Amino acid sequence: MGCWRRTHYSAEIRPELDGKEVILLGWVRDLRDLGGIRFIILQDREGTVQITVPRNVIDDQTLKKTELLQRQYCIGVKGVVRAIEKAPRGAEVIPKSIRILGVAKQPLPIDITGRTPADIDVRLDARVLDLRRDESQAIFRIRHKILEATRRFLSEKGFIEVHTPKIIASATEGGAALFPIAYFEREAFLAQSPQLYKEQLTICFEKVFEIGPTFRAEKSHTRRHLTEFISIDIEEAFATAEDVMKIAEELMCHVCKVVKENCQRELKVLKHTVEVPGLPFKRIPYDEVIRELKEEKFEIEWGEDIPTAAYRILGRIHPYFYFITEWPTSLKPFYIKPKDENPEVSEGFDLMWHWIEIASGGTRIHNKELLIKRLKEQGLHPESFKYHLKTFDYGMPPHAGWAIGLERLVMMHTGRKNIREVVLYPRDRFRLTP
Ligand code: AMO
């Protein structure tokens, strides 16, 4: 690169810069030869710009350099802007000098211009190249906006961001779906969620949130399951399920607004739209969900978990956001509080977007004896939870919280059908590389 430093991004090359010398840094997206003229489409993080090489005007050395170029070469271009109506954005750059900064072996495994579409597995095997596609760029910019908006929203609501251990000694979500790891002389596990730590932290911080990786040894190989995903967790002291549901729906509204207002360019690339939902979201008790499904001739009994096919039906009946509340206690994890007046029904909820479960949460049990009883009922050993149970002797406040699966949220915001599209390097049962 020598002393060259970028003066402009591609998207900043406009007719007003006519005659100005610029330095651009980026990658060769496409090359086109039209007799006496050669076009190089240079791509950087902001978009593309046309570099036009009129053979009879350019000096021999620069011309020879352009002949060496291949798709995805990383290059620097020093040149002069020329306003020209026919060029995209009304301007192009005539090169004075070109530097090759990185070569790309041909043929490339995928065509990022999208002229030859590739299967998702082929794309994921060449992920960094794939991430240069317009759609990928749009997805990860929206993902960034969602995260930025979420952090700001929760901070402004008084939550403080925490990071809890991802190497743990016992399960948080029950015994299943844990990844064991060799931890020196002992066995440890990758955290399935920050559940127990976030509950404990309400004792000292009252309102906490965490955005971090969680690991599930998921056998289900579906388009919405990963073995490693980012969970957006909150936990609040002196709160109930209803209190934290309000935070969840306000956050959903806020994020939709931010994406709608700030990501129009990206949404256009993805051919998708996002609407800001009205408040409050519907709260549909599990009982009513079962009734609705039966009316649709779907066979299901009270107490059964809701299968994917049933969620698809619910998504048709309730097309945007809605909560499913009052789940049977037996279907919820041990830490979810059973209702005082009817312990068969819990204060747990799920937040749905169409047919996809975006979040789940609830009021927590904060009575130690009841928690021990629930652990036993779910076949777990209170001894394995002794450090967690101890914190209930330090003045545990009543508390509630939820967790949103970030990737599922991004999937819905970007209109993608496969969760792997919205993860840089997805991990599932069969994919551990790249
Ligand atoms: P749950 O297990 O329902 O709840 O997870 C919370 C949310 O995380 C997302 N999610 C997943 N996303 C991708 N791949 C997966 N395998 C996967 N599993 C879950 C979903 C889901 O709604 N501790 C509780 C939350 C709480 O009560 O605070 C928990 O982890 O969007």
Side-chain angles (χ1 to χ4, degrees):
M1 209 164 76
C3 59
W4 280 21
R5 291 294 176 272
R6 171 187 278 136
T7 59
H8 295 77
Y9 279 109
S10 59
E12 292 167 332
I13 303 302
R14 298 188 173 277
E16 303 84 76
L17 295 182
D18 189 50
K20 190 172 170 62
E21 187 174 282
V22 295
I23 296 178
L24 303 168
L25 301 172
W27 292 265
V28 177
R29 182 180 169 96
D30 217 353
L31 290 159
R32 259 176 270 139
D33 263 316
L34 283 181
I37 297 192
R38 170 157 250 236
F39 296 107
I40 304 161
I41 306 302
L42 181 125
Q43 176 175 1
D44 59 24
R45 49 170 279 176
E46 298 300 322
T48 56
V49 61
Q50 178 173 300
I51 313 294
T52 305
V53 189
R55 289 188 204 277
N56 52 359
V57 176
I58 302 293
D59 69 78
D60 267 3
Q61 207 191 348
T62 310
L63 195 60
K64 280 211 183 79
K65 252 316 160 41
T66 69
E67 276 157 12
L68 294 175
L69 299 182
Q70 302 269 11
R71 283 199 188 149
Q72 296 309 323
Y73 269 37
C74 179
I75 60 168
V77 177
K78 186 191 272 186
V80 175
V81 178
R82 186 167 73 170
I84 174 164
E85 242 174 61
K86 274 184 286 176
R89 273 198 316 279
E92 61 186 8
V93 173
I94 312 292
K96 276 184 167 172
S97 171
I98 290 183
R99 288 186 184 171
I100 295 177
L101 306 173
V103 294
K105 210 168 166 189
Q106 311 292 317
L108 293 162
I110 56 169
D111 169 13
I112 71 150
T113 64
R115 281 195 292 261
T116 326
D119 174 74
I120 185 152
D121 276 310
V122 176
R123 287 177 30 219
L124 290 176
D125 283 343
R127 191 54 160 160
V128 285
L129 206 50
D130 181 61
L131 291 172
R132 242 182 261 156
R133 288 185 321 122
D134 295 341
E135 288 84 357
S136 305
Q137 289 278 316
I139 290 167
F140 288 93
R141 277 167 186 256
I142 292 177
R143 184 180 159 123
H144 169 71
K145 273 281 164 220
I146 291 173
L147 276 170
E148 191 185 40
T150 302
R151 274 210 168 85
R152 187 164 299 163
F153 176 91
L154 292 173
S155 306
E156 280 170 11
K157 289 257 175 221
F159 287 83
I160 72 160
E161 185 163 5
V162 296
H163 288 103
T164 62
K166 301 303 154 208
I167 302 175
I168 55 167
S170 61
T172 55
E173 300 292 323
L178 271 169
F179 280 117
I181 53 168
Y183 192 72
F184 305 104
E185 294 76 34
R186 281 181 290 169
E187 186 180 53
F189 304 96
L190 294 178
Q192 296 158 304
S193 79
Q195 184 64 37
L196 308 185
Y197 291 111
K198 68 174 180 172
E199 286 192 48
Q200 294 171 19
L201 292 173
T202 60
I203 297 182
C204 34
F205 301 117
E206 295 193 28
K207 290 164 106 174
V208 293
F209 78 99
E210 174 161 8
I211 301 179
T214 49
F215 306 89
R216 309 259 170 115
E218 287 282 357
K219 290 231 167 78
S220 24
H221 189 67
T222 78
R223 291 194 294 177
R224 59 184 200 290
H225 284 96
L226 296 162
T227 48
E228 176 176 351
F229 65 94
I230 302 294
S231 177
I232 305 170
D233 275 82
I234 73 157
E235 202 65 28
E236 178 171 1
F238 312 111
T240 62
E242 182 52 37
D243 297 321
V244 293
M245 278 157 73
K246 284 204 180 85
I247 296 173
E249 62 188 358
E250 276 179 38
L251 173 63
M252 288 302 101
C253 244
H254 176 68
V255 170
C256 286
K257 201 158 169 265
V258 167
V259 170
K260 193 179 161 82
E261 282 173 8
N262 297 280
C263 303
Q264 277 310 320
R265 199 177 68 159
E266 288 77 10
L267 289 170
K268 199 165 158 213
V269 169
L270 297 169
K271 299 185 179 66
H272 188 62
T273 53
V274 168
E275 292 311 323
V276 181
L279 285 177
F281 297 168
K282 270 189 267 181
R283 279 125 168 95
I284 312 170
Y286 171 90
D287 278 8
E288 204 175 312
V289 165
I290 298 298
R291 230 182 352 261
E292 282 179 345
L293 289 171
K294 282 187 169 164
E295 267 169 32
E296 295 288 322
K297 310 273 179 284
F298 191 91
E299 274 185 37
I300 188 163
E301 291 308 321
W302 197 96
E304 283 177 37
D305 209 348
I306 301 174
T308 308
Y311 278 125
R312 294 236 181 229
I313 296 173
L314 293 175
R316 276 205 305 275
I317 310 176
H318 310 286
Y320 213 6
F321 288 103
Y322 56 99
F323 289 104
I324 301 180
T325 59
E326 300 183 31
W327 282 80
T329 303
S330 58
L331 293 180
K332 284 289 167 191
F334 65 87
Y335 48 79
I336 294 286
K337 183 175 177 290
K339 283 185 167 237
D340 292 332
E341 65 284 8
N342 177 11
E344 286 207 343
V345 175
S346 76
E347 293 188 31
F349 63 84
D350 284 358
L351 170 60
M352 307 295 300
W353 183 341
H354 193 50
W355 65 279
I356 299 269
E357 179 200 314
I358 292 286
S360 72
T363 315
R364 319 303 189 182
I365 294 175
H366 84 288
N367 172 298
K368 186 175 172 180
E369 280 63 49
L370 181 57
L371 193 60
I372 293 172
K373 181 168 166 268
R374 289 289 295 138
L375 277 167
K376 286 183 184 157
E377 277 170 8
Q378 297 218 346
L380 298 164
H381 304 292
E383 181 56 24
S384 317
F385 294 83
K386 68 174 183 216
Y387 288 104
H388 180 57
L389 291 169
K390 235 194 247 179
T391 63
F392 284 70
D393 298 332
Y394 306 152
M396 181 64 81
H399 57 283
W402 45 248
I404 296 173
L406 171 67
E407 287 78 7
R408 291 197 185 169
L409 186 61
V410 178
M411 230 179 127
M412 298 309 276
H413 273 279
T414 54
R416 298 303 96 177
K417 299 229 155 28
N418 192 331
I419 199 164
R420 290 158 189 79
E421 297 274 3
V422 308
V423 187
L424 291 174
Y425 298 101
R427 294 286 178 259
D428 62 37
R429 194 172 171 197
F430 303 105
R431 182 172 282 282
L432 193 52
T433 51

